[in-house]
Every structure is written in structure tokens, then in C-alpha cells.
Amino acid sequence: GENVEQHPSTLSVQEGDSAVIKCTYSDSASNYFPWYKQELGKRPQLIIDIRSNVGEKKDQRIAVTLNKTAKHFSLHITETQPEDSAVYFCAAPPGGGSTLGRLYFGRGTQLTVWP
Amino acid sequence: DAGVTQSPTHLIKTRGQQVTLRCSPKSGHDTVSWYQQALGQGPQFIFQYYEEEERQRGNFPDRFSGHQFPNYSSELNVNALLLGDSALYLCASSLNRGHTQYFGPGTRLTVL
């Protein structure tokens, strides 16, 4: 994406381990940070999102943390399962009301969970 | 509750031809954004339609155009196709131009 950096590009973990994917953004006015999961040949699926007035959000085995000062946010998956294997994308909007609904995406992280 | 739908699923065209892709937003949504996803890349914003007007545009040439209908469905048109236009074209819908967007299954366009 134009101003969203994502790493690592690939991540392999053993089933049951945790996985962490990190993204940085450049526009300090960005206020919404979603994560999408895309399985091979399927649509990107929104799995969790966080707004800039919150530091952390959890949904079962997944969580997102946001550090506004450092301008980075991370996806945490605990107790990974083989079905978590997919490409994960982070995204962020540019700041400013004129850009409502526009998202810049990272280049993606291929997560592989080995049984 | 119907999700975002797109048609066709796949399309093969030759250079120079024109193509039209279609999208119906999630029930209750009024905003459609189009993205291009090249192989191995994240989606790239093409443009957004709200209240039947193009509201924002990404860094794409004028060969890319669109339309939104009164029922909120949308079309993406690409003229004078180039080999580099081969990609997965995704539409995403949201409510009132909100950032929370839900994607359709995409149209895989191959230009030969």
C-alpha cells in the first residue's frame, strides 16, 4: 500500500503456537485499522478491526493492538490451527474527511500453520 | 442477509477490448468501492461510488470508469485493455462511506 508497511511477508508456525503480524502506517490522522484474511481463491474477509480511541481489541483467539505514538498495529493469533493458514492483510485509511472509506493495504503476510 | 456479490467470476479478454464488471452491495449498504488486486499484492483502491457519484479516485487512468445505480449496485468499466490490467477485481461495500468494508468474491480478469 501507499503508506502501509506490513511484515513479515511469510510466517510459519507450529499448530498451537502464537503468530504475530505487524503493520506501520505513516498518516498520524489515520483512525481505523482493519485486518483481513484471504484464503486461496477467496474474498478478503474482515476478521477484526480497531479504532484509534482503543489500544487493544480481542475476539476469541485473535487480538489487535494499536500504538498510535509509534504508528503501528499488530495482529495476534493464539493457539493457531491449520485452518488459520491464509494471507493476512492490514489496512489503514488516509486521514481527512475527504477520504472516507478509502483504504490502503499492506502487501500481505502468508501464514502457514503446520500440524 | 445477502452479502456482496460480483459477476462474472472469470473473464478472458484480449488487448484493446473493453470490459464491464458488476457488483451488488451487501444488503443495507449504500457505498461501493472498487479495488484491483494483482497476484501476490494487497488490494489497490480504484474508486468509490456513493449517491450515484464517484467520490474518490485512486491512481488509475481514465480508462477505468464506473457507475452506480439507484439500487446501489455498481459497474466498473475498463477500456483499451492492457496486459497489465490482468488482476482480481474486488468490490467492497460499506454504509455511508464508512471505513468498515466487506468484500465480494471478485472477478478474475485475464487479458491476453
Side-chain angles (χ1 to χ4, degrees):
Chain A
E2 193 165 311
N3 58 354
V4 178
E5 298 289 333
Q6 180 174 349
H7 59 95
S9 56
T10 61
L11 180 60
S12 293
V13 299
Q14 202 74 32
E15 182 177 2
D17 287 349
S18 295
V20 180
I21 304 170
K22 298 181 180 179
C23 283
T24 59
Y25 60 97
S26 59
D27 192 335
S28 57
S30 295
N31 58 5
Y32 173 74
F33 307 94
W35 285 91
Y36 288 84
K37 174 184 180 182
Q38 188 174 29
E39 297 175 77
L40 192 61
K42 296 193 175 180
R43 74 185 74 195
Q45 177 190 1
L46 178 65
I47 57 172
I48 195 167
D49 56 11
I50 192 170
R51 298 192 181 272
S52 58
N53 58 344
V54 176
E56 183 176 2
K57 182 177 178 181
K58 282 185 178 181
D59 183 4
Q60 299 182 352
R61 296 186 297 107
I62 61 173
V64 55
T65 58
L66 172 65
N67 183 326
K68 287 190 294 183
T69 303
K71 290 190 284 186
H72 68 70
F73 57 110
S74 299
L75 177 71
H76 305 254
I77 306 175
T78 58
E79 300 172 27
T80 53
Q81 301 168 3
E83 50 266 39
D84 294 329
S85 296
V87 179
Y88 290 81
F89 292 99
C90 63
S98 65
T99 57
L100 282 175
R102 175 175 187 164
L103 294 175
Y104 290 124
F105 282 80
R107 294 171 66 95
T109 297
Q110 173 67 63
L111 173 65
T112 303
V113 180
W114 299 99
Chain B
D1 183 16
V4 183
T5 60
Q6 290 185 246
S7 64
T9 305
H10 296 88
L11 210 48
I12 299 175
K13 293 285 188 178
T14 56
R15 281 178 296 175
Q17 285 190 310
Q18 177 263 342
V19 68
T20 298
L21 310 181
R22 295 176 177 84
C23 171
S24 290
K26 179 180 167 68
S27 178
H29 283 184
D30 56 9
T31 305
V32 173
S33 298
W34 286 92
Y35 291 82
Q36 180 193 68
Q37 187 177 25
L39 206 59
Q41 304 291 320
Q44 272 199 295
F45 179 83
I46 302 175
F47 43 53
Q48 177 196 75
Y49 276 85
Y50 174 70
E51 293 185 333
E52 301 180 49
E53 289 186 12
E54 181 182 299
R55 297 291 177 162
Q56 301 183 61
R57 189 177 187 90
N59 190 23
F60 280 81
D62 291 345
R63 298 186 298 108
F64 289 77
S65 63
H67 188 78
Q68 186 178 36
F69 299 93
N71 67 352
Y72 309 120
S73 66
S74 176
E75 286 182 350
L76 164 65
N77 301 291
V78 188
N79 295 322
L81 285 167
L82 304 174
L83 295 179
D85 294 332
S86 295
L88 180 68
Y89 288 85
L90 295 161
C91 80
S93 77
S94 61
L95 179 62
N96 198 24
R97 300 180 67 199
H99 289 313
T100 305
Q101 299 177 34
Y102 298 90
F103 282 91
T107 294
R108 172 72 61 187
L109 173 64
T110 302
V111 182
L112 302 176

